[in-house]
Amino acid sequence: MQSSPSSPPAPALQITDLVKRYPTGTEALKGVSLEIADGEFFGLLGPNGAGKSTLIHCSTGLANPTSGSIRIFGNDAVNDYREAREAVGLAPQDINLDWFLTVEETLDLHGGYFGMGKRERRERVDELLESFSLTEKRNDRTRELSGGMKRRVILARALMHKPRLLILDEPTAGVDVELRLELWHYVQQVNTEGTTILLTTHYLEEAEQLCSRIAFINGGEIVDHGSSDELAERFGVGSLEDAYLELVGRKELSRAHVGGDLEDAQ
Ligand code: ADP
């Protein structure tokens, strides 16, 4: 679907009444609707098992929705997915690199998969290696890299074909503070350059720091969405963290109640 000059631009991601029931009978998504505008940095927050990964898998063709629709920049991402898929870069939660490829080969192969020509791939690889401080590692096999370097390669690979929508599935789960800040820097830069970002995380500070809008998901349903301040206000609390604790039914853990005893608990 192309938008004419007079019509508003298509949302980067438009999910309508999405239901996902796994063969086991688990209904991981119970009629989710969500819209992310072109250029936004959008956060999806929720506890384990809330349905975050399922939503991402349905949007990227890794899982088939039971019903509902997903459009990416106006293109159907379920039934007629070619254009939709090309517009998306996914940095998955698991480090799914081919251990026998070098860093350069990893990026090059991905570009080839998306139909990029040889010269275009070479230029893009150089550019990404430079921006992710990976140039010196270009000929290293991915299995030889540190955890931090592997995370950078995953992000560079997701960006290789210049996707307009970058999906980050818990990109900083289990990484140290230094790398977390480094990854924040990279993704903020990518967003500033015009790429729309959907980030799932359960680090509240991460969502607060990076995202202009946040949706809370719980039990397969979007419970609320808005800016960090709007969410806190609607839940009648002082911070995004307290809004989240209300959502998961654990408001007794609020730092406002315990006077900072849990300062380092997150
Ligand atoms: P989150 O990413 O928020 O932790 P998930 O989307 O992984 O949540 O899971 C949502 C629900 O779907 C959970 O109850 C989980 O056990 C279930 N689930 C996830 N993947 C599968 C699968 N492949 N088969 C069956 N159930 C699944």
Side-chain angles (χ1 to χ4, degrees):
M1 187 178 79
Q2 295 295 319
S3 53
S4 69
S6 56
S7 61
L13 181 64
Q14 186 174 37
I15 294 178
T16 313
D17 298 331
L18 186 64
V19 173
K20 173 62 185 176
R21 203 173 304 111
Y22 285 108
T24 52
T26 302
E27 200 165 60
L29 298 173
K30 299 172 181 162
V32 164
S33 296
L34 186 69
E35 196 168 299
I36 303 178
D38 190 3
E40 265 195 291
F41 200 135
F42 192 93
L44 188 62
L45 268 176
N48 286 331
K52 302 183 295 297
S53 294
T54 301
L55 186 142
I56 284 182
H57 291 165
C58 288
S59 304
T60 51
L62 298 172
N64 275 326
T66 305
S67 61
S69 83
I70 305 174
R71 302 189 84 84
I72 294 175
F73 294 106
N75 299 298
D76 186 337
V78 180
N79 301 308
D80 180 19
Y81 50 77
R82 212 178 137 245
E83 289 193 34
R85 203 102 8 119
E86 279 178 11
V88 178
L90 171 66
Q93 206 178 118
D94 305 322
I95 298 188
N96 62 346
L97 295 167
D98 183 329
W99 301 134
F100 296 98
L101 295 181
T102 64
V103 171
E104 179 169 6
E105 287 165 350
T106 301
L107 302 186
D108 186 67
L109 193 74
H110 185 88
Y113 179 73
F114 280 90
M116 294 168 76
K118 201 168 175 180
R119 175 197 269 196
E120 191 189 1
R121 297 203 304 270
R122 193 164 350 121
E123 283 171 8
R124 183 69 173 151
V125 167
D126 286 347
E127 192 176 283
L128 286 168
L129 292 177
E130 196 57 36
S131 14
F132 286 89
S133 312
L134 284 164
T135 305
E136 282 179 19
K137 304 282 178 194
R138 71 185 305 149
N139 296 317
D140 288 9
R141 293 198 189 284
T142 57
R143 65 163 180 258
E144 296 159 7
L145 302 174
S146 68
M149 289 289 172
K150 286 179 188 141
R151 283 274 163 215
R152 289 193 218 171
V153 176
I154 297 251
L155 198 48
R157 184 186 60 184
L159 290 166
M160 180 67 194
H161 62 289
K162 302 188 180 166
R164 295 172 67 196
L165 171 64
L166 175 65
I167 300 185
L168 305 166
D169 193 3
E170 298 194 20
T172 61
V175 310
D176 63 27
V177 176
E178 209 179 318
L179 177 60
R180 176 167 306 152
L181 295 176
E182 199 179 286
L183 291 171
W184 286 6
H185 167 81
Y186 289 133
V187 296
Q188 260 169 332
Q189 180 67 27
V190 168
N191 179 242
T192 308
E193 287 164 7
T195 307
T196 307
I197 299 187
L198 168 60
L199 165 84
T200 76
T201 182
H202 39 225
Y203 295 111
L204 297 151
E205 187 201 354
E206 183 161 291
E208 223 161 10
Q209 181 83 24
L210 298 173
C211 304
S212 47
R213 225 151 46 89
I214 294 162
F216 279 158
I217 182 168
N218 198 14
E221 291 173 304
I222 301 284
V223 188
D224 208 344
H225 58 87
S227 69
S228 172
D229 289 345
E230 283 165 0
L231 287 167
E233 198 178 311
R234 271 209 291 281
F235 278 79
V237 292
S239 67
L240 182 68
E241 182 172 271
D242 282 350
Y244 181 84
L245 289 171
E246 290 275 343
L247 164 78
V248 296
R250 299 299 306 274
K251 63 180 175 186
E252 76 280 6
L253 292 174
S254 169
R255 300 188 212 207
H257 296 168
V258 296
D261 287 358
L262 293 175
E263 206 60 28
D264 299 315
Q266 205 193 322

